[in-house]
């Protein structure tokens, strides 16, 4: 089921990021990582929170520069290759 909703999740996250900005997105990442820590034993919760935080921060660092260059590139659609 997760594989089916992954594309939707990424799209919604990127649209939210566009709507509210990077600062609010960072706050949401921190909140999501903290919530991860509430649902399992401490060792698993820490690993889950760390994985969530790292993956979201990497997405944030990659998405914004790509979005500024090309919205199609930012959402993962292949761009045409330009000949030099």
């Amino acid at each position: 089921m997760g594989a089916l909703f992954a594309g939707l999740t990424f799209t919604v996250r990127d649209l939210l990021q566009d709507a509210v900005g990077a600062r609010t997105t960072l706050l949401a990442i921190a909140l999501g990582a903290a919530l991860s820590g509430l649902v399992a034993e401490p060792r698993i919760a820490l690993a889950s929170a760390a994985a969530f935080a790292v993956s979201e921060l990497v997405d944030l660092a990659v998405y914004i520069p790509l979005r500024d260059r090309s919205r199609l590139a930012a959402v993962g659609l292949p761009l045409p290759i330009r000949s030099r």
Side-chain angles (χ1 to χ4, degrees):
M1 204 59 176
L4 295 175
F5 286 103
L8 178 63
T9 300
F10 297 142
T11 301
V12 168
R13 180 189 57 216
D14 293 340
L15 291 172
L16 179 66
Q17 186 173 312
D18 289 345
V20 299
R23 178 172 282 163
T24 303
T25 301
L26 288 171
L27 179 62
I29 290 169
L31 179 63
L35 288 174
S36 294
L38 298 176
V39 297
E41 66 179 79
R43 185 184 64 170
I44 301 297
L46 181 60
S48 175
F52 174 78
V54 168
S55 69
E56 293 300 316
L57 290 171
V58 168
D59 178 75
L60 183 67
V62 170
Y63 175 74
I64 290 175
L66 282 177
R67 183 197 61 207
D68 292 344
R69 186 173 142 219
S70 165
R71 187 162 297 277
L72 289 177
V75 296
L77 298 175
L79 294 175
I81 298 173
R82 296 184 208 168
S83 60
R84 294 181 181 226

